[in-house]
């Protein structure tokens, strides 16, 4: 299944309220004639509903961006108050909310509270409109700072749909875009213990071998030609691949050895998804550049950016940084982000994510996995999990083939439909259901959503002809 499959409704909707969308809106990542997006009428907290009044628990946080849920009163009020005060201002002017947000982000940047004491803790922030342009500008910064052109990224990755970002993207969304790729991008294999390309038996071995592979790619490409290694701290859409302990520290050391910048893409995992401001804090590693978007303000107004280590930012103190955007640091977007960070703190969201991830989501998913022969592995952290489906647990043959579409993806579509029938909206990619609810989802709603997945997995078990294991056996 493609990512956009998850925005599809079950049937065509001739309703006059959505006819204009059908007729005039050109949708993302789709054959325009083949889709029928669900018309969403409203939302509140972890729930949204369609124009027919069907309610869904948003286990995808839209596109894993709605960290504080739909229509959060504090975020809505922040947009309204800022709109009444100063609705827009050009990026060439200084602006109070933009400055305040940059300060709040820098105070929470990697290593600000823990980690490698030998590193400079000073940062600055360049604001963009979303994730892809954050990645574009991080690469621009790295190339100009190092004077080198090449950038390495993982095959299993998504980094956005603009020219360099889609070339950096390893997943099949890159393929049709390679008519005009960034010529200086190379890919490598990151760690993925469950499907190790390196024959590893456990996380420790996988981490070491993936690192050895990356070291070899660096030496074969020419260390002195490489500006940056860019990776998702936890690979998101392509599998919720949590790196083995030691892997990120190893990449950091490899970069340091060769004057390569380490860029972490935290567009999906930043701002609380795994219970840290930035996921990389889990491992105490300090990168040179961090991209963010989505969860920074739950997408109420588009916003992204790059957190820039001082030693890189200084390169542009006397030299012009050749990049900019009309809406860089848009005050409406920044005002929501400031309010979002304050809300995180007042409501102790990071602690909540860690606790419920460890005590509820993880254990419940492991129980579900034990019951269903179609589940190969569950993995994740905080409010960010994947349920990987297989045809056979022994061989680990994926439930549907890699990048399947049409009839080949039908078994997965049936499972997804069964989840949606139970009023839960999952995130779907290939042979995986991802669990990525808003970070404010109540424990009862989490139980409800996980129970829906549990029940829907019977469809997958039936498909492979292996019924669920009886309770307690
Ligand atoms: C890790 C990562 N990087 C970059 C992007 C691109 O962000 P945007 O869609 O805001 O351009 C995404 C989007 O899903 C992402 O998950």
């Amino acid at each position: 299944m493609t990512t956009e499959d998850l925005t599809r409704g079950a049937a065509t909707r001739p309703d006059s309220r959505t006819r204009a969308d059908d007729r005039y809106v050109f949708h993302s990542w789709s054959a325009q004639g083949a889709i029928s997006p669900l018309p969403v009428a409203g939302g509140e907290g972890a729930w949204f509903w369609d124009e027919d009044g069907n309610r869904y628990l948003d286990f995808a946080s839209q596109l894993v961006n709605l960290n504080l849920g739909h229509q959060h009163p504090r975020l809505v009020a922040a947009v309204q108050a800022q709109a009444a005060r100063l609705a827009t201002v050009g990026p060439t002017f200084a602006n109070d909310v933009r400055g305040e947000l940059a300060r709040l982000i820098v105070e929470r940047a990697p290593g600000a509270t823990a980690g490698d004491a030998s590193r400079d803790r000073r940062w600055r922030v360049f604001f963009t409109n979303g994730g892809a342009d954050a990645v574009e500008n991080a690469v621009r910064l790295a190339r100009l700072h190092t004077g080198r052109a090449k950038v390495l990224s993982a095959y299993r990755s998504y980094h956005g749909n603009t020219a360099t970002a889609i070339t950096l993207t390893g997943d099949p969304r890159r393929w049709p875009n390679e008519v005009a790729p960034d010529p200086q991008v190379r890919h490598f294999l990151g760690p993925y213990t469950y499907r190790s390309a390196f024959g590893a038996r456990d996380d420790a071995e996988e981490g070491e071998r993936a690192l050895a592979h990356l070291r070899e790619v660096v030496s074969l490409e020419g260390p002195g030609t490489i500006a940056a290694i860019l990776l998702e701290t936890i690979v998101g859409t392509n599998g919720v691949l949590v790196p083995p302990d030691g892997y990120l520290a190893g990449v950091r050391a490899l970069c340091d050895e060769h004057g390569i910048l380490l860029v972490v893409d935290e567009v999906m995992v930043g701002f609380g998804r795994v219970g840290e401001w930035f996921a990389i804090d889990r491992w105490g590693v300090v990168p040179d550049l961090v991209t963010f978007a989505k969860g920074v303000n739950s997408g109420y107004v588009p916003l992204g950016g790059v957190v820039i280590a001082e030693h890189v930012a200084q390169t542009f103190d006397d030299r012009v940084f050749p990049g900019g955007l009309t809406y860089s640091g848009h005050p409406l977007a920044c005002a929501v982000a400031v309010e979002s960070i304050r809300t995180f703190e007042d409501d102790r969201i990071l602690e909540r994510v860690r606790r419920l991830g460890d005590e509820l989501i993880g254990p419940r998913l492991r129980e579900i996995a034990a019951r269903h022969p179609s589940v190969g592995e569950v993995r994740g952290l905080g409010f960010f999990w994947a349920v990987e489906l297989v045809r056979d647990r022994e061989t680990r043959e994926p439930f549907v083939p890699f990048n399947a579409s049409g009839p080949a993806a039908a078994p997965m579509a049936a499972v997804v439909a069964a989840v949606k029938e139970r009023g839960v909206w999952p995130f779907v990619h290939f042979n995986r259901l991802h669990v990525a609810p808003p970070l404010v989802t109540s424990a009862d709603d989490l139980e409800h959503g996980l129970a829906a997945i549990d029940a829907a997995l019977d469809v997958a078990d039936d498909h492979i002809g292996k019924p669920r294991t009886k309770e307690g056996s």
Side-chain angles (χ1 to χ4, degrees):
M1 306 208 90
T2 65
T3 307
E4 295 306 307
D5 284 336
L6 64 93
T7 61
R8 285 175 197 170
T12 46
R13 288 164 204 281
D15 190 310
S16 63
R17 289 167 298 185
T18 53
R19 213 173 275 150
D21 185 291
D22 282 352
R23 171 70 186 83
Y24 299 111
V25 178
F26 195 94
H27 283 272
S28 312
W29 303 115
S30 306
Q32 302 301 303
I35 55 164
S36 178
L38 184 77
V40 172
E44 190 181 354
W47 292 83
F48 65 92
W49 47 91
D50 68 15
E51 291 184 350
D52 298 326
N54 300 310
R55 287 168 57 82
Y56 295 96
L57 181 60
D58 193 346
F59 254 34
S61 297
Q62 295 299 296
L63 281 181
V64 200
N65 62 282
L66 196 70
N67 286 12
L68 290 185
H70 293 269
Q71 299 301 110
H72 193 294
R74 287 182 63 170
L75 303 196
V76 172
V79 187
Q80 288 168 335
Q82 184 62 38
R85 206 164 69 86
L86 183 66
T88 190
V89 65
T92 46
F93 298 96
N95 174 255
D96 56 355
V97 278
R98 188 192 294 143
E100 173 66 358
L101 177 59
R103 185 177 71 79
L104 291 174
I105 292 174
V106 164
E107 285 173 2
R108 287 156 187 79
T113 51
D116 185 348
S118 66
R119 284 187 182 270
D120 194 339
R121 304 277 174 81
R122 290 172 303 157
W123 303 82
R124 293 184 233 173
V125 183
F126 177 73
F127 288 110
T128 64
N129 305 324
D133 47 344
V135 168
E136 293 292 317
N137 280 287
V139 169
R140 170 183 280 131
L141 284 157
R143 285 176 168 163
L144 293 169
H145 174 77
T146 59
R148 304 172 183 177
K150 244 175 239 170
V151 182
L152 308 188
S153 65
Y155 274 109
R156 288 195 176 82
S157 70
Y158 180 71
H159 294 293
N161 91 337
T162 52
T164 294
I166 197 66
T167 314
L168 288 160
T169 291
D171 83 20
R173 282 171 284 186
R174 169 173 46 88
W175 303 344
N177 284 295
E178 284 179 323
V179 284
D182 182 318
Q184 295 291 0
V185 169
R186 304 289 183 273
H187 291 100
F188 61 91
L189 287 161
Y192 183 7
T193 309
Y194 184 66
R195 298 193 181 283
S196 175
F198 312 110
R201 286 157 303 182
D202 55 32
D203 272 352
E205 221 168 62
E206 180 70 358
E208 280 165 25
R209 292 182 186 185
L211 212 47
H213 158 76
L214 181 57
R215 180 174 288 280
E216 194 166 350
V217 172
V218 166
S219 70
L220 293 171
E221 285 294 339
T225 69
I226 301 169
I229 295 175
L230 182 144
L231 41 78
E232 291 175 82
T233 309
I234 297 172
V235 174
T237 301
N238 282 271
V240 188
L241 305 175
V242 181
D245 289 345
Y247 178 73
L248 293 170
V251 179
R252 173 74 273 181
L254 180 60
C255 287
D256 287 346
E257 211 177 296
H258 299 294
I260 297 168
L261 296 190
L262 175 59
V263 186
V264 291
D265 183 345
E266 295 247 354
V267 166
M268 198 172 262
V269 292
F271 295 92
R273 180 61 44 201
V274 298
E276 307 286 342
W277 290 113
F278 292 99
I280 198 158
D281 270 338
R282 283 253 171 182
W283 293 277
V285 171
V286 181
D288 301 295
L289 298 164
V290 186
T291 58
F292 66 90
K294 297 187 186 263
V296 64
N297 66 0
S298 291
Y300 280 45
V301 182
L303 181 67
V306 189
V307 196
I308 310 166
E310 184 64 16
H311 71 102
V312 180
Q314 276 173 1
T315 300
F316 303 95
D317 281 348
D318 302 316
R319 179 177 160 191
V320 172
F321 172 64
L325 300 152
T326 300
Y327 302 128
S328 176
H330 194 286
L332 290 182
C334 291
V336 193
V338 167
E339 193 60 17
S340 174
I341 290 174
R342 291 190 182 132
T343 305
F344 264 69
E345 250 142 20
D346 292 345
D347 297 349
R348 305 178 67 83
I349 298 289
L350 300 180
E351 292 87 332
R352 159 172 230 280
V353 167
R354 287 196 290 263
R355 182 172 52 78
L356 288 171
D358 288 350
E359 294 175 7
L360 195 161
I361 305 178
R364 212 58 89 242
L365 281 175
R366 282 188 271 273
E367 285 163 25
I368 290 171
R371 278 197 282 277
H372 293 280
S374 58
V375 176
E377 184 178 64
V378 296
R379 54 179 176 265
L381 283 174
F383 273 45
F384 199 39
W385 293 78
V387 180
E388 174 151 355
L389 304 188
V390 290
R391 296 189 59 80
D392 185 309
R393 270 195 182 160
E394 292 303 310
T395 64
R396 302 189 178 182
E397 181 191 348
F399 184 64
V400 292
F402 181 77
N403 199 33
S405 63
M412 199 62 197
V415 177
V416 173
V419 180
K420 289 181 183 171
E421 271 162 26
R422 289 165 173 80
V424 175
W425 200 267
F427 186 101
V428 189
H429 188 259
F430 296 169
N431 62 326
R432 283 171 271 107
L433 295 175
H434 290 191
V435 173
L439 313 182
V440 293
T441 309
S442 71
D444 281 352
D445 283 344
L446 290 173
E447 297 275 13
H448 169 74
L450 294 167
I453 289 175
D454 188 6
L457 286 171
D458 287 345
V459 173
D461 297 339
D462 286 349
H463 182 78
I464 62 170
K466 293 174 189 153
R468 73 152 70 192
T469 314
K470 291 212 173 53
E471 305 301 324
S473 64

